[in-house]
Amino acid sequence: MNAESTADLAANDLDAVKKLKDGFNEIKRQLSRVIVGQDQVIEELLIALFSRGHCILEGVPGLAKTLMISTLARTLSLDFSRIQFTPDLMPSDITGTEVIEENRSTGHREFKFMAGPLFANVILADEINRTPPKTQAALLEAMQERQVTVGRVRHKLQDPFFVLATQNPIEQEGTYPLPEAQQDRFMFKVFVKYPSFQEEFEIARRTTTLITEELQPVLSGDQILDLQRLVRRVPVTDHVIQYTLALVRQTRVSEPGIPGWIKDWLSWGAGPRAVQFLILGGKARALLYGRTHVQTEDIQALAPAVLRHRILTNFTAASEGITSDTVVTKLLKETPSKEGELTRDERYKRIFAA
């Protein structure tokens, strides 16, 4: 964006930026009445929502993933639908199907579409890796195209549309791991970790009483759509784009000038969608923190969630205990972030020239 568009954003949308920041803080306050801790997870979920992205949540059972997502939908005045993915789940079970219905006024029989659970604003795809590829593909169409196809008829899904898929990292028997191409459609892969001692103490204290919390809606669906459009209008400098490119392009083992340890540890790197999601997420994060421009710190904060499921470590890395998060952390340390450093470093010049 040029300077004129930046000025337009600052002049016309400062109230919207303030509303987004205040809404973010109010949503966290409302969620804290039900969910203890998990601040980073909540922040990343909201960033994905305002960026029109989807998330994979990975964590062991019992960490309140389902409760967190359903509570988030309630604070946003959105329709919530939970789908338990199982090995016998068929595409029509989630998209809906056509049934024959008799028209009582004419006596004729006609097909009528019965919408499935995908026709909601917030979709919890519980244990998505437990269903066959055919059903996963039906969900993929809904995520990417925001529509479902039944027979030869396309049915549009309502906006906003937000898919949150969960995976259990422990039990892998009888699962159908998501292909890399499908994982790439998810904006973030979020790790839900164990609570701290104090957080678990508070969880035990709250959940063993009769006290129930009443939540107040914070944002409506129309307000969320307005904020999603606002995110797209946030300006980003060429320097931030160059930094994002340098970060992502270094994960590709075939690129010239990449660090030697990348070739030792990775068998596959992130594609252009990682760059797009990092910049979009950076825009949303900047607004959540009350800023009208993106900084490299926004890209750095979101890099693990965007890249961890887009880079594939090899056997050498696995034998050394190296994970995708280890690679991202090392990349963040070695990639210069200050303006001017990228153009002075010959290695990054070669990456950009390739």
Side-chain angles (χ1 to χ4, degrees), residues 226-335:
D226 291 338
L227 295 174
Q228 288 177 342
R229 287 188 284 268
L230 177 65
V231 166
R232 295 271 177 166
R233 296 169 56 192
V234 174
V236 56
T237 63
D238 290 345
H239 163 64
V240 173
I241 296 176
Q242 288 179 346
Y243 174 74
T244 308
L245 283 170
L247 203 61
V248 173
R249 290 173 68 89
Q250 286 180 93
T251 65
R252 301 169 189 170
V253 295
S254 60
E255 293 290 335
I258 64 171
W261 56 269
I262 289 289
K263 296 181 179 179
D264 294 337
W265 289 349
L266 295 186
S267 58
W268 201 255
R273 198 176 274 119
V275 177
Q276 296 169 335
F277 282 147
L278 277 170
I279 293 174
L280 276 175
K283 291 183 176 186
R285 186 178 187 272
L287 291 180
L288 292 183
Y289 282 82
R291 288 184 276 108
T292 57
H293 62 282
V294 185
Q295 298 177 351
T296 54
E297 69 179 54
D298 297 315
I299 307 299
Q300 292 167 345
L302 300 178
V306 172
L307 294 177
R308 64 167 55 109
H309 58 298
R310 290 185 165 87
I311 58 178
L312 191 61
T313 54
N314 56 25
F315 178 77
T316 302
S319 63
E320 297 177 8
I322 303 298
T323 65
S324 57
D325 275 20
T326 309
V327 175
V328 175
T329 301
K330 189 173 176 63
L331 269 178
L332 289 172
K333 288 181 180 179
E334 293 193 1
T335 305

Side-chain angles (χ1 to χ4, degrees), residues 106-119:
T106 63
H108 295 297
R109 293 183 177 183
E110 53 191 26
F111 282 103
K112 180 181 179 181
F113 177 69
M114 302 293 290
L118 276 183
F119 286 80

